[in-house]
Amino acid sequence: MWNGHHLLGCRGADAAQARELLSLAHADAFGGTELNGRTVANLFFEDSTRTRVSFTIAAQNLGARVVDLGSKGSSLSKGESLIDTAWTIESMGVDALVVRAAQSGACELISRHVGIPVINAGDGMHQHPTQALTDALNIGRAHGRTGGWDFSGLHVVIVGDVVSSRVARSNAGLLRALGARVTLCGPAMMCPGSLSELGCEVSHDLDALVDQADVMMMLRIQFERGGGARLASSRLYHACYGLTLGRAARMKDGAIVMHPGPMNRGVEIAGEVADGSRSVIRDQVEGGVLVRKAALKLALDRG
Ligand code: NCD
């Protein structure tokens, strides 16, 4: 999972490294002065609500200063390259970069050109490791696996616009490393059979899975990545692949509903299900701060 001091993705994730980070996040092990005098730069070249704010709060909770840069208002809009932008920020004495970019692979590219840790906060359709770690934290908590973070026997079904989803790719790598069974589900256009290369089962039949899953993880249709073009109609999609009240009622006792946000209510998930008793969607947001604190602290310790 760690690549030196960089946290870039969860493909082929190392279970021991993931378990260490999850234990530290779960225990909220770090206090308010651990990163005193350090500066973390958020380079968010793509929109974000929860990821950006949670990295900011996490860094501030550890005593670090935070500087924020987006593509609007930075020299990126004047044609400066991502690498030159990252290198410029590094030269000002920043200690770590948190990077979100629209290009798959951007964070790894930047990491090869700077001497400070890079944490991938979502790169195109590629990886989003701190989201997957946040999801694993919540799965472990909900299913009583916080002792060893061993997810064997748990069946996680990830539903929706999988092909566009960095969240699904990171979760597939991480949850499989922790021992879970992972099934990817959606219409063939959004969930082609070739995704089995992620080491997961692929299905197009949500109704056959609803009463099998310990976790139903619903994904946003990525309209900005062409997901809308793969959609005949939102209403038809909801009927075939949405987590409706009827489907949620068929879930197993103790099974949970997740969504990384932002949600399209009434498309991939019914509003009543998102707000219902099985939903841990708000816990996911809370857990995001704990995971990002641990990720920042470990990245800086490794550097
Ligand atoms: C996701 C993202 O941006 O990758 N959201 C998030 O980080 N919580 C998923 C999405 O945009 O649908």
Side-chain angles (χ1 to χ4, degrees):
M1 201 173 67
W2 291 99
N3 185 344
H5 54 183
H6 306 299
L7 182 55
L8 301 174
C10 295
R11 198 185 165 108
D14 180 287
Q17 290 179 353
R19 288 179 172 130
E20 177 198 21
L21 193 151
L22 290 168
S23 297
L24 293 169
H26 177 59
D28 197 9
F30 303 118
T33 55
E34 309 260 358
L35 298 187
N36 268 357
R38 305 294 196 101
T39 304
V40 174
N42 276 339
L43 309 188
F44 274 64
F45 304 127
E46 200 189 71
D47 292 343
S48 167
T49 301
R50 58 220 97 213
T51 305
R52 182 156 58 89
V53 175
S54 65
F55 267 111
T56 299
I57 291 176
Q60 288 173 346
N61 282 354
L62 294 171
R65 281 181 305 243
V66 179
V67 292
D68 263 296
L69 191 73
S71 41
K72 287 197 199 82
S74 78
S75 288
L76 215 64
S77 66
K78 300 180 187 169
E80 186 166 58
S81 74
L82 282 176
I83 294 169
D84 283 339
T85 302
W87 174 85
T88 301
I89 300 293
E90 179 189 26
S91 307
M92 293 180 197
V94 162
D95 297 288
L97 299 176
V98 177
V99 180
R100 168 166 289 196
Q103 303 86 350
S104 302
C107 296
E108 193 190 333
L109 183 69
I110 290 172
S111 76
R112 288 200 229 119
H113 289 85
V114 296
I116 54 178
V118 174
I119 299 180
N120 181 357
D123 62 329
M125 306 203 292
H126 184 221
Q127 289 283 327
H128 193 351
T130 60
Q131 181 65 48
L133 286 157
T134 298
D135 298 343
L137 176 75
N138 283 281
I139 292 171
R141 285 178 161 187
H143 284 290
R145 304 293 177 99
T146 57
W149 303 98
D150 179 356
F151 288 0
S152 30
L154 292 180
H155 188 184
V156 180
V157 178
I158 303 179
V159 187
D161 189 3
V162 184
V163 77
S164 309
S165 177
R166 54 197 176 204
V167 174
R169 285 186 180 78
S170 281
N171 266 300
L174 180 64
L175 298 177
R176 296 240 318 107
L178 296 176
R181 174 180 169 199
V182 179
T183 303
L184 307 173
C185 179
M189 298 277 274
M190 292 181 181
C191 191
S194 57
L195 287 172
S196 62
E197 70 168 27
L198 297 174
C200 304
E201 293 155 64
V202 174
S203 162
H204 308 301
D205 186 358
L206 180 60
D207 285 306
L209 291 165
V210 161
D211 54 3
Q212 308 288 317
D214 299 292
V215 176
M216 293 290 292
M217 185 182 294
M218 310 311 292
L219 300 174
R220 185 175 67 89
I221 299 197
Q222 308 256 309
F223 289 100
E224 77 280 17
R225 300 210 165 83
R230 293 188 284 272
L231 190 70
S233 93
S234 295
R235 202 191 282 179
L236 184 62
Y237 181 85
H238 187 64
C240 297
Y241 289 102
L243 192 53
T244 58
L245 270 176
R247 289 195 176 107
R250 287 180 42 223
M251 288 172 65
K252 292 202 285 198
D253 282 350
I256 57 170
V257 171
M258 307 184 83
H259 193 306
M263 288 185 276
N264 300 304
R265 285 172 183 260
V267 184
E268 66 265 5
I269 188 166
E272 296 90 330
V273 176
D275 301 329
S277 58
R278 293 183 182 281
S279 168
V280 300
I281 295 171
R282 285 194 66 139
D283 305 301
Q284 286 176 265
V285 180
E286 267 180 61
V289 176
L290 301 178
V291 160
R292 282 150 191 146
K293 279 173 77 172
L296 284 166
K297 174 72 167 78
L298 289 177
L300 285 160
D301 284 353
R302 295 174 78 91

